[in-house]
Amino acid sequence: MTVSNQTDSHIAGHHLTNRTDTVWIELTSHCNLRCTYCHQSVPTFHAKDMDVGDFPRLVEHLQAMGVQEVVAQGRGETHFLEHWHHYVDQIQAAGIAVSGVMNLAKDYSEEEMLTLSRYRSITVSVDTVDRELTKRIRRSSDIRQILYNQTRIVATALAQGTKPPRIIWNCVTNDQVVMGLCEWISMGIALGVSEFNLALLSKFTHVPDALNVDHVTTLPDGPFLEALQIIETAVALGRAHGKVVTLHPGLTESLQRHREKIFSSQEGQRDSEPHADAGAGLDHIAVTQPGQTRNCLYPWSTAYIEADRSLRVCCISPIFKQLPESWDLAEILNGPELQGFRQAFLRGQLPAECAKCPTASITTPDDLLTKVEKYLSGKGSPRANPV
């Protein structure tokens, strides 16, 4: 059954959700770094801190909703907010697991380390273990400080007699770091990293007088094919050591598509220059076509609260509502805006933001509906995508 044949009766009830397992909370959109590809380096980006005057009430709502995990992260660096750990402590004290994505490029107090040691998982933004390259891409950061803080978190948990957080490394895969992926994954293995993610570059800006990175597909044909081999070798290396290694579907799709383009070209038409149509930004991402949708359960499983209390389901979805002063988000999650959003997913009528998602793979509405039914019945994972 294609999307055009999906009827209201076929998807009836599936536009509502009875489970919100994960809530992302953006305590601040400020950041201590200015990575050259990040929105933080866009001159028009304006960051702000969340008004946390009645934060305990939000925690009460999360408890009442049965939220299983809070991801303390958004478009900024959570730890840039003064007393950030006091708010995370409240969530943890309520019995809700906390995870986070962070750069670890700062000094931490003992109290902050105790909070971090109680996280369920910590995803560290590490694009490369090359010290100079780290400084040039993730400006103001030192890989030595990042790795020291990671080790200190694990050591703090061990000293408390508790299980350390699961450590995950995330690499924004680009033309400058791809050739060093084997060294990157080797260092992570040596430091006890459990999981490695290779993410697709979403480039927001060009920074004058800085090292600007680009998508791997902008490499000339020869280096591009060499980069593919290095990625394959790095993935095999990690898995040989029992590590989870994943490639974001958007990255996989773009690499495969570009490889096919090279081999389908006539021999005489191949060149040694970067491809003009490879582009930056999101131009290399496969866009869904009519009759297709995204392999994503976030519209049913997840809420994403920005620092200004805007409510999304992920960092790129449309904004649906502003949370009221009461922090009550349960009603909004089954309000008319999100009901319509879920129906659009099940019909393959995605908004532009989701049609060009860099993370979720493309699938059919029937496949997604099966996963939604399984999830709402309490049997499925909150993530349709393996990432």
Side-chain angles (χ1 to χ4, degrees):
M1 180 180 295
T2 63
V3 173
S4 60
N5 293 324
Q6 292 279 25
T7 64
D8 288 338
S9 61
H10 189 68
I11 62 175
H14 299 101
H15 56 285
L16 300 171
T17 185
N18 56 14
R19 292 175 62 188
T20 303
D21 287 319
T22 306
V23 175
W24 290 62
I25 300 178
E26 182 185 79
L27 289 171
T28 182
S29 55
H30 286 94
C31 188
N32 54 320
L33 301 184
R34 290 294 180 271
C35 302
T36 56
Y37 52 77
C38 183
H39 56 263
Q40 294 280 348
S41 293
V42 178
T44 56
F45 178 77
H46 298 292
K48 71 171 296 179
D49 297 335
M50 178 178 282
D51 180 356
V52 290
D54 200 11
F55 195 77
R57 183 176 292 185
L58 171 59
V59 177
E60 291 174 3
H61 282 297
L62 299 178
Q63 274 187 302
M65 292 168 55
V67 171
Q68 300 297 303
E69 181 178 33
V70 164
V71 181
Q73 177 60 24
R75 296 164 298 167
E77 179 70 13
T78 298
H79 311 154
F80 198 67
L81 180 70
E82 188 176 9
H83 305 309
W84 65 270
H85 54 296
H86 294 170
Y87 307 109
V88 172
D89 287 346
Q90 293 178 50
I91 300 169
Q92 292 174 330
I96 302 172
V98 177
S99 295
V101 183
M102 58 198 70
N103 59 52
L104 293 182
K106 66 181 290 290
D107 293 328
Y108 291 93
S109 67
E110 292 291 341
E111 190 178 2
E112 290 175 311
M113 274 288 151
L114 283 170
T115 299
L116 287 168
S117 73
R118 294 191 292 265
Y119 272 46
R120 171 183 285 176
S121 69
I122 289 176
T123 299
V124 189
S125 299
V126 180
D127 296 338
T128 176
V129 292
D130 183 292
R131 184 183 171 199
E132 293 305 317
L133 198 52
T134 297
K135 284 183 178 180
R136 296 180 68 191
I137 297 175
R138 291 186 171 272
R139 296 177 290 169
S140 302
S141 68
D142 188 329
I143 188 65
R144 297 173 301 178
Q145 182 181 44
I146 295 168
L147 301 185
Y148 169 72
N149 283 329
Q150 175 184 306
T151 305
R152 192 175 165 208
I153 292 167
V154 175
T156 300
L158 295 175
Q160 296 297 311
T162 58
K163 182 180 179 181
R166 179 178 178 84
I167 303 296
I168 303 166
W169 275 10
N170 187 76
C171 170
V172 178
T173 313
N174 60 71
D175 61 336
Q176 298 294 321
V177 305
V178 66
M179 300 304 185
L181 283 180
C182 289
E183 291 78 11
W184 175 78
I185 214 162
S186 297
M187 180 72 82
I189 293 169
L191 292 169
V193 175
S194 300
E195 184 173 341
F196 300 86
N197 291 333
L198 297 177
L200 178 70
L201 169 69
S202 297
K203 185 176 177 179
F204 289 87
T205 188
H206 180 91
V207 181
D209 301 319
L211 178 62
N212 288 275
V213 302
D214 219 325
H215 193 263
V216 178
T217 56
T218 63
L219 291 169
D221 289 355
F224 171 78
L225 295 174
E226 181 184 353
L228 288 187
Q229 184 61 54
I230 289 173
I231 292 172
E232 182 178 336
T233 301
V235 170
L237 175 63
R239 291 174 179 170
H241 286 268
K243 307 299 182 180
V244 176
V245 185
T246 56
L247 278 71
H248 279 193
L251 176 62
T252 301
E253 290 168 355
S254 65
L255 295 177
Q256 289 177 342
R257 193 167 62 249
H258 193 65
R259 181 181 181 276
E260 291 168 0
K261 179 180 178 180
I262 291 174
F263 284 106
S264 64
S265 298
Q266 294 182 1
E267 191 69 26
Q269 292 178 329
R270 296 183 189 175
D271 56 61
S272 59
E273 299 299 322
H275 288 272
D277 63 346
L282 301 178
D283 293 341
H284 43 263
I285 297 174
V287 181
T288 56
Q289 302 301 313
Q292 296 178 328
T293 190
R294 289 287 177 185
N295 189 29
C296 178
L297 286 176
Y298 279 9
W300 290 265
S301 68
T302 304
Y304 185 105
I305 306 172
E306 294 190 344
D308 63 358
R309 298 197 183 201
S310 297
L311 182 69
R312 305 173 182 260
V313 299
C314 73
C315 61
I316 66 168
S317 82
I319 294 173
F320 299 102
K321 285 279 189 176
Q322 297 290 126
L323 283 183
E325 291 186 7
S326 66
W327 288 106
D328 188 357
L329 67 157
E331 184 175 344
I332 298 175
L333 291 175
N334 276 321
E337 295 86 359
L338 266 161
Q339 288 188 42
F341 184 66
R342 295 179 188 119
Q343 288 176 332
F345 259 74
L346 293 173
R347 292 184 174 127
Q349 300 167 352
L350 301 182
E353 301 95 327
C354 301
K356 223 172 187 185
C357 174
T359 301
S361 59
I362 296 174
T363 190
T364 64
D366 276 345
D367 179 65
L368 179 62
L369 180 60
T370 298
K371 291 172 180 173
V372 170
E373 290 174 338
K374 188 175 181 180
Y375 172 73
L376 295 178
S377 70
K379 300 176 182 176
S381 165
R383 299 191 179 196
N385 250 345
V387 176

